[in-house]
């Protein structure tokens, strides 16, 4: 009879549903892990970029200060030489 032939298929449907739910849970867990890893890596990359920008800014400021000090030193040296020439001139 037809019912006895389709009964095994009917009994397989709930097991197949449980398998699908289990597989979906695994996929969801892996997706969440992957998203968290991506977010963590992006955050780390952003922090490294920010650190590099701060360092470059500090170095640029230090170079500007060195340049300013060098210009001041040259100006003072020029004034000193001019004063010396005035004394002997």
């Amino acid at each position: 009879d037809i019912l006895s032939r389709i009964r095994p298929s009917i009994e397989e449907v709930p097991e197949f549903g449980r398998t699908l739910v289990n597989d979906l849970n695994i996929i969801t867990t892996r997706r969440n892990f992957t998203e968290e890893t991506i977010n963590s890596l992006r955050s780390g990359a952003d922090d490294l970029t920010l650190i590099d920008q701060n360092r470059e800014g500090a170095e640029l400021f230090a170079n500007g200060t060195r340049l300013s000090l060098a210009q001041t030193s040259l100006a003072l040296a020029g004034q000193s030489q001019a004063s010396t020439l005035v004394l002997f001139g």
Side-chain angles (χ1 to χ4, degrees):
D1 110 305
I2 293 178
L3 190 57
S4 63
R5 290 191 315 200
I6 64 170
R7 187 172 305 276
S9 297
I10 292 172
E11 291 172 356
E12 287 181 21
V13 170
E15 181 61 31
F16 181 70
R18 284 190 288 276
T19 301
L20 285 178
V21 168
N22 186 42
D23 290 348
L24 179 61
N25 286 335
I26 291 170
I27 291 169
T28 301
T29 300
R30 288 180 179 174
R31 186 195 70 208
N32 291 342
F33 173 78
T34 302
E35 287 176 353
E36 289 174 10
T37 301
I38 289 169
N39 290 338
S40 177
L41 292 174
R42 281 187 180 152
S43 175
D46 290 345
D47 289 346
L48 287 174
T49 302
L50 180 61
I51 289 170
D52 289 345
Q53 289 176 351
N54 286 340
R55 181 177 178 179
E56 291 299 319
E59 288 181 11
L60 183 60
F61 182 74
N63 287 337
T65 302
R66 285 187 201 103
L67 179 61
S68 177
L69 289 173
Q71 289 172 338
T72 302
S73 295
L74 287 173
L76 291 175
Q79 288 176 358
S80 175
Q81 288 177 353
S83 297
T84 304
L85 289 175
V86 168
L87 287 176
F88 293 110

